[in-house]
Amino acid sequence: EYLQLELSHWLQLNYELNNHVESLKTEITKIVNELNPTCLSIKGLGAMTAAVIVAEFGAFDRFGSPDKMLAFVGLDCDQHKSGTMQRLRLRWTGKRSPCKSADLTKECWLRL
């Protein structure tokens, strides 16, 4: 009986937390839509990803070029062209968290 009561308590807590997360997502989406950041124009990029990007970068006009934005998150982009082939390589430079850099970059590159 004790385990059943404990399980019931944890399931109720899980339900309440999921509801809270959903309400936070709704509020974040509302705020992002009011801000209407430039990154929302990227095809397939949603409000939650835009919120992460805006929180990380702030105002995009602070950066003079895309290379400076990549450098801000600790990435270096090499571009190699050969005939009709084009290859982009991103390298972590160690200035920022590799996980955060990879997440932001992945979201942006996959949406292009």
Short mmCIF file of all heavy atoms in Angstrom, two decimals, residues 26-51:
data_model
loop_
_atom_site.label_atom_id
_atom_site.label_comp_id
_atom_site.label_asym_id
_atom_site.label_seq_id
_atom_site.Cartn_x
_atom_site.Cartn_y
_atom_site.Cartn_z
N THR A 26 4.00 27.80 -23.78
CA THR A 26 2.99 28.70 -24.35
C THR A 26 3.38 30.15 -24.11
O THR A 26 3.29 30.99 -25.01
CB THR A 26 1.61 28.41 -23.72
OG1 THR A 26 1.28 27.05 -23.97
CG2 THR A 26 0.55 29.32 -24.31
N GLU A 27 3.84 30.45 -22.91
CA GLU A 27 4.25 31.82 -22.58
C GLU A 27 5.48 32.24 -23.38
O GLU A 27 5.54 33.37 -23.89
CB GLU A 27 4.54 31.93 -21.07
CG GLU A 27 4.78 33.33 -20.60
CD GLU A 27 3.56 34.23 -20.69
OE1 GLU A 27 2.43 33.72 -20.68
OE2 GLU A 27 3.74 35.45 -20.78
N ILE A 28 6.44 31.34 -23.52
CA ILE A 28 7.65 31.65 -24.30
C ILE A 28 7.27 31.90 -25.76
O ILE A 28 7.75 32.85 -26.38
CB ILE A 28 8.69 30.51 -24.18
CG1 ILE A 28 9.30 30.52 -22.77
CG2 ILE A 28 9.78 30.64 -25.23
CD1 ILE A 28 10.15 29.31 -22.47
N THR A 29 6.41 31.06 -26.31
CA THR A 29 5.96 31.23 -27.69
C THR A 29 5.28 32.59 -27.87
O THR A 29 5.52 33.29 -28.86
CB THR A 29 5.01 30.09 -28.09
OG1 THR A 29 5.70 28.85 -27.95
CG2 THR A 29 4.52 30.24 -29.52
N LYS A 30 4.45 32.96 -26.91
CA LYS A 30 3.76 34.25 -26.97
C LYS A 30 4.76 35.41 -26.97
O LYS A 30 4.66 36.34 -27.78
CB LYS A 30 2.81 34.37 -25.78
CG LYS A 30 2.05 35.66 -25.69
CD LYS A 30 1.18 35.67 -24.45
CE LYS A 30 0.70 37.07 -24.14
NZ LYS A 30 0.05 37.14 -22.84
N ILE A 31 5.76 35.34 -26.10
CA ILE A 31 6.77 36.40 -26.01
C ILE A 31 7.59 36.48 -27.29
O ILE A 31 7.85 37.56 -27.82
CB ILE A 31 7.68 36.19 -24.78
CG1 ILE A 31 6.87 36.41 -23.50
CG2 ILE A 31 8.90 37.10 -24.82
CD1 ILE A 31 7.58 35.98 -22.24
N VAL A 32 8.01 35.32 -27.81
CA VAL A 32 8.81 35.29 -29.04
C VAL A 32 8.00 35.87 -30.21
O VAL A 32 8.53 36.64 -31.02
CB VAL A 32 9.30 33.86 -29.36
CG1 VAL A 32 9.84 33.75 -30.76
CG2 VAL A 32 10.36 33.44 -28.36
N ASN A 33 6.73 35.52 -30.30
CA ASN A 33 5.91 36.05 -31.38
C ASN A 33 5.73 37.56 -31.26
O ASN A 33 5.66 38.26 -32.27
CB ASN A 33 4.55 35.35 -31.42
CG ASN A 33 4.67 33.93 -31.93
OD1 ASN A 33 5.59 33.61 -32.67
ND2 ASN A 33 3.76 33.08 -31.52
N GLU A 34 5.69 38.08 -30.03
CA GLU A 34 5.61 39.54 -29.84
C GLU A 34 6.92 40.22 -30.25
O GLU A 34 6.91 41.29 -30.84
CB GLU A 34 5.29 39.87 -28.38
CG GLU A 34 3.87 39.57 -27.97
CD GLU A 34 3.63 39.75 -26.48
OE1 GLU A 34 4.55 40.22 -25.77
OE2 GLU A 34 2.53 39.42 -26.03
N LEU A 35 8.05 39.56 -29.92
CA LEU A 35 9.36 40.13 -30.29
C LEU A 35 9.59 40.05 -31.79
O LEU A 35 10.27 40.90 -32.36
CB LEU A 35 10.48 39.40 -29.56
CG LEU A 35 10.58 39.61 -28.06
CD1 LEU A 35 11.63 38.67 -27.47
CD2 LEU A 35 10.92 41.05 -27.74
N ASN A 36 9.06 39.00 -32.42
CA ASN A 36 9.21 38.77 -33.85
C ASN A 36 10.67 38.90 -34.31
O ASN A 36 10.99 39.72 -35.16
CB ASN A 36 8.30 39.71 -34.64
CG ASN A 36 8.13 39.26 -36.07
OD1 ASN A 36 8.35 38.10 -36.39
ND2 ASN A 36 7.75 40.17 -36.93
N PRO A 37 11.57 38.08 -33.75
CA PRO A 37 12.98 38.18 -34.14
C PRO A 37 13.22 37.75 -35.58
O PRO A 37 12.43 36.98 -36.15
CB PRO A 37 13.68 37.23 -33.16
CG PRO A 37 12.65 36.24 -32.80
CD PRO A 37 11.33 36.98 -32.83
N THR A 38 14.30 38.23 -36.13
CA THR A 38 14.67 37.92 -37.51
C THR A 38 14.80 36.42 -37.75
O THR A 38 14.45 35.92 -38.81
CB THR A 38 16.00 38.60 -37.86
OG1 THR A 38 15.91 39.97 -37.51
CG2 THR A 38 16.34 38.47 -39.32
N CYS A 39 15.30 35.70 -36.75
CA CYS A 39 15.55 34.27 -36.94
C CYS A 39 14.27 33.47 -37.15
O CYS A 39 14.33 32.35 -37.64
CB CYS A 39 16.38 33.69 -35.80
SG CYS A 39 15.62 33.83 -34.19
N LEU A 40 13.11 34.02 -36.84
CA LEU A 40 11.86 33.32 -37.12
C LEU A 40 11.60 33.18 -38.61
O LEU A 40 10.79 32.36 -39.04
CB LEU A 40 10.67 34.04 -36.47
CG LEU A 40 10.35 33.67 -35.03
CD1 LEU A 40 9.18 34.48 -34.51
CD2 LEU A 40 10.09 32.20 -34.86
N SER A 41 12.30 33.98 -39.42
CA SER A 41 12.12 33.90 -40.86
C SER A 41 12.85 32.70 -41.47
O SER A 41 12.64 32.37 -42.63
CB SER A 41 12.61 35.19 -41.53
OG SER A 41 13.99 35.34 -41.36
N ILE A 42 13.68 32.03 -40.69
CA ILE A 42 14.38 30.83 -41.17
C ILE A 42 13.36 29.70 -41.28
O ILE A 42 12.65 29.40 -40.31
CB ILE A 42 15.54 30.43 -40.24
CG1 ILE A 42 16.57 31.54 -40.18
CG2 ILE A 42 16.17 29.12 -40.70
CD1 ILE A 42 17.67 31.31 -39.16
N LYS A 43 13.28 29.10 -42.44
CA LYS A 43 12.30 28.05 -42.71
C LYS A 43 12.44 26.90 -41.70
O LYS A 43 13.53 26.38 -41.49
CB LYS A 43 12.50 27.53 -44.13
CG LYS A 43 11.50 26.48 -44.53
CD LYS A 43 11.75 26.00 -45.93
CE LYS A 43 10.81 24.88 -46.28
NZ LYS A 43 11.05 24.36 -47.61
N GLY A 44 11.33 26.55 -41.07
CA GLY A 44 11.31 25.42 -40.16
C GLY A 44 11.75 25.72 -38.75
O GLY A 44 11.68 24.87 -37.88
N LEU A 45 12.19 26.93 -38.47
CA LEU A 45 12.66 27.28 -37.13
C LEU A 45 11.46 27.72 -36.31
O LEU A 45 10.73 28.63 -36.70
CB LEU A 45 13.69 28.40 -37.21
CG LEU A 45 14.47 28.64 -35.93
CD1 LEU A 45 15.95 28.63 -36.25
CD2 LEU A 45 14.08 29.94 -35.32
N GLY A 46 11.23 27.08 -35.18
CA GLY A 46 10.07 27.37 -34.35
C GLY A 46 10.36 28.39 -33.27
O GLY A 46 11.49 28.86 -33.10
N ALA A 47 9.34 28.69 -32.52
CA ALA A 47 9.43 29.71 -31.48
C ALA A 47 10.40 29.31 -30.37
O ALA A 47 11.13 30.15 -29.84
CB ALA A 47 8.05 30.00 -30.90
N MET A 48 10.42 28.04 -30.00
CA MET A 48 11.31 27.62 -28.91
C MET A 48 12.78 27.74 -29.31
O MET A 48 13.60 28.21 -28.55
CB MET A 48 10.99 26.18 -28.48
CG MET A 48 9.60 26.01 -27.92
SD MET A 48 9.23 27.12 -26.55
CE MET A 48 10.24 26.46 -25.28
N THR A 49 13.11 27.33 -30.52
CA THR A 49 14.48 27.46 -31.00
C THR A 49 14.85 28.93 -31.15
O THR A 49 15.97 29.34 -30.81
CB THR A 49 14.67 26.72 -32.33
OG1 THR A 49 14.27 25.36 -32.16
CG2 THR A 49 16.11 26.76 -32.80
N ALA A 50 13.90 29.72 -31.64
CA ALA A 50 14.14 31.16 -31.77
C ALA A 50 14.39 31.78 -30.41
O ALA A 50 15.25 32.65 -30.26
CB ALA A 50 12.96 31.83 -32.45
N ALA A 51 13.68 31.33 -29.39
CA ALA A 51 13.88 31.84 -28.03
C ALA A 51 15.30 31.54 -27.54
O ALA A 51 15.95 32.40 -26.93
CB ALA A 51 12.85 31.25 -27.07
#
